[in-house]
Amino acid sequence: MLRACRGEAVDRPPVWLMRQAGRYLPEYRRVREGATFWEMCRDVDRAVEVSLQPLHLLGTEAVIFFSDIFTPIPNLGIEVDFAPGPRVATPIRSLAQVEALRVPDCRESVPFVFEILRALRRELAQDQVPLLGFAGAPFTLAAYLVEGSGSKNFGTLKQMMYRAPEVLRALQELLTALTVDYLNAQIEAGAQAVQLFDTWAGILSPAEYREWVLPVHREIASKVNRKEAPFILYVNNGAHVVDEMLDVNADVLSLDWRIDIGALARRAGTRVSLQGNLDPCALAAPREKIFEMVHQIARDAAPARGHILNLGHGCLPDTPVEGVRAFLEAAKSLGSATQRNVR
Ligand code: 1CP
């Protein structure tokens, strides 16, 4: 996995799934029973247990620590709950609210995150399976903090972009500083690659992405300790901004299924490795069809300097476990011969 991130030679594409630890797994639901989502995130033993479930039950080839993009947010002074998506008690709408936020040292404010990572590294020492850290991108965090919850088109956020750009700019600046520090602290605690999730940047036009998001992605990419841990950038619904994403200088671009991975693999050349990009809904397909789709993605992505098989977005609560198993088996059935033949 780490070799693929850096574009070094591999036998076949490694494989993991976004949101591989979650509600589609009965074993997750059992551990989750009787606890709130926040309790799960803060309970080191339980978080370690569910982080390892996809590895032990299904054989994924990377472990992402169990948490959420909102984990460091309450310590800024913002109340967030889950129902099941994030709900912000008092949405951010003014400069005064942004100025009242504090950015505490994450090593002190969310120490359990780093305990979870250190415990996972110890657990994974035998397996040679890499441990992934992650954070929410400032734009996506800001989208929820301004809107107050998830939304179809984030109208309040977009109004702020045009009516009070200084508020969004100040909020993103604060969240960028938080994100850089948070990812570097995760790397110190044992994360071997880190992924930045920008789930909502795709609502922007290419021009808006260049103005509001590209500089933030570039700043984070330049300040994360990439000698220790490759930097993976995920933008959901980002087919119209892939050229801009190439300009971020990430180690890996994680793509959703609306992107032609073959065309991008040829265009990206040696600049970046690619991750993705099966539609999570396609895991409902019969096993043979999943094999066919996985082999097709691997063939298409082969011209890239490195490819990591993954979904185009996270597993859904109704994702069939059998579909996930078929996806992993299909990935592991790809031989180096398949790779060589297509090159
Ligand atoms: O009820 C439950 O058990 C909570 C469901 C749940 C889970 C399992 C939430 C609430 N978050 C998570 C875990 C999670 N979230 C992980 C764990 C590691 C893994 O991948 O296995 C990660 C990386 C995330 C990241 C996350 N949370 C993102 C970015 C990636 C993405 O999926 O787009 C976003 C946008 C969130 C917000 C969030 N948290 C939870 C939900 C249901 C949501 C999405 C809400 C929405 O769609 O608006």
Side-chain angles (χ1 to χ4, degrees):
M1 156 81 190
L2 297 176
R3 295 176 67 89
C5 288
R6 297 195 165 100
E8 295 164 9
V10 293
D11 296 334
R12 61 166 171 80
V15 58
W16 69 283
L17 298 89
M18 289 190 271
R19 294 228 188 176
Q20 59 191 15
R23 286 170 294 174
Y24 76 99
L25 274 176
E27 291 83 356
Y28 169 84
R29 293 198 297 269
R30 222 166 291 142
V31 180
R32 167 86 161 75
E33 235 166 67
T36 66
F37 183 65
W38 273 135
E39 284 166 353
M40 283 287 293
C41 292
R42 290 169 181 153
D43 181 333
V44 174
D45 292 341
R46 278 207 264 202
V48 167
E49 183 180 352
V50 297
S51 305
L52 292 171
Q53 282 178 343
L55 170 70
H56 293 155
L57 298 167
L58 304 167
T60 56
E61 295 179 323
V63 166
I64 184 162
F65 82 105
F66 181 81
S67 196
D68 195 75
I69 59 171
F70 280 88
T71 301
I73 296 299
N75 289 294
L76 303 178
I78 302 175
E79 203 182 309
V80 183
D81 234 317
F82 289 92
R87 296 273 183 284
V88 181
T90 314
I92 306 278
R93 303 283 162 82
S94 71
L95 201 54
Q97 279 174 290
V98 179
E99 283 166 353
L101 301 175
R102 34 172 215 280
V103 184
D105 183 339
C106 61
R107 292 158 191 82
E108 280 160 29
S109 64
V110 286
F112 53 87
V113 164
F114 311 106
E115 284 171 45
I116 293 167
L117 286 165
R118 282 190 290 268
L120 284 170
R121 258 313 270 283
R122 280 196 300 275
E123 292 281 338
L124 293 172
Q126 302 291 322
D127 296 287
Q128 299 234 336
V129 170
L131 175 60
L132 310 186
F134 72 92
F139 184 78
T140 285
L141 292 172
Y144 286 98
L145 297 181
V146 169
E147 203 72 41
S149 67
S151 159
K152 212 163 165 201
N153 37 31
F154 287 89
T156 318
L157 173 79
K158 284 199 165 177
Q159 265 189 11
M160 181 182 277
M161 276 173 57
Y162 290 99
R163 289 198 183 156
E166 70 285 359
V167 181
L168 186 55
R169 205 154 277 136
L171 181 58
Q172 281 217 95
E173 222 167 86
L174 181 136
L175 293 168
T176 302
L178 169 82
T179 303
V180 167
D181 188 47
Y182 187 49
L183 288 175
N184 281 331
Q186 291 181 26
I187 296 168
E188 279 164 35
Q192 292 159 287
V194 290
Q195 178 156 331
L196 187 73
F197 286 95
D198 218 339
T199 305
W200 294 109
I203 65 171
L204 300 178
S205 70
E208 289 168 331
Y209 179 94
R210 280 193 290 274
E211 180 182 352
W212 286 96
V213 174
L214 180 60
V216 172
H217 288 172
R218 286 179 65 95
E219 183 176 346
I220 296 171
S222 72
K223 291 183 174 169
V224 162
N225 184 357
R226 287 161 59 180
K227 281 204 196 78
E228 292 291 324
F231 176 73
I232 308 169
L233 173 67
Y234 171 73
V235 175
N236 182 37
N237 220 341
H240 58 303
V241 293
V242 280
D243 286 328
E244 283 76 8
M245 286 164 68
L246 284 172
D247 282 340
V248 172
N249 295 324
D251 297 291
V252 183
L253 294 182
S254 190
L255 311 172
D256 72 65
W257 62 94
R258 304 159 189 95
I259 294 174
D260 180 341
I261 198 169
L264 186 61
R266 288 190 298 275
R267 241 181 20 259
T270 55
R271 290 171 74 182
V272 74
S273 299
L274 302 179
Q275 176 170 275
N277 67 340
L278 187 71
D279 181 348
C281 295
L283 296 181
R287 182 183 155 81
E288 306 71 50
K289 177 71 183 166
I290 292 175
F291 267 67
E292 212 179 281
M293 292 185 288
V294 165
H295 281 249
Q296 186 63 48
I297 290 172
R299 273 197 300 274
D300 288 347
R305 67 164 208 189
H307 176 220
I308 299 148
L309 266 162
N310 203 315
L311 302 177
H313 200 176
C315 282
L316 300 159
D318 63 359
T319 296
V321 179
E322 282 323 300
V324 175
R325 280 190 201 284
F327 180 71
L328 292 165
E329 275 174 45
K332 292 177 186 182
S333 74
L334 292 161
S336 48
T338 330
Q339 292 284 296
R340 268 200 307 277
N341 287 345
V342 288
R343 279 222 164 93

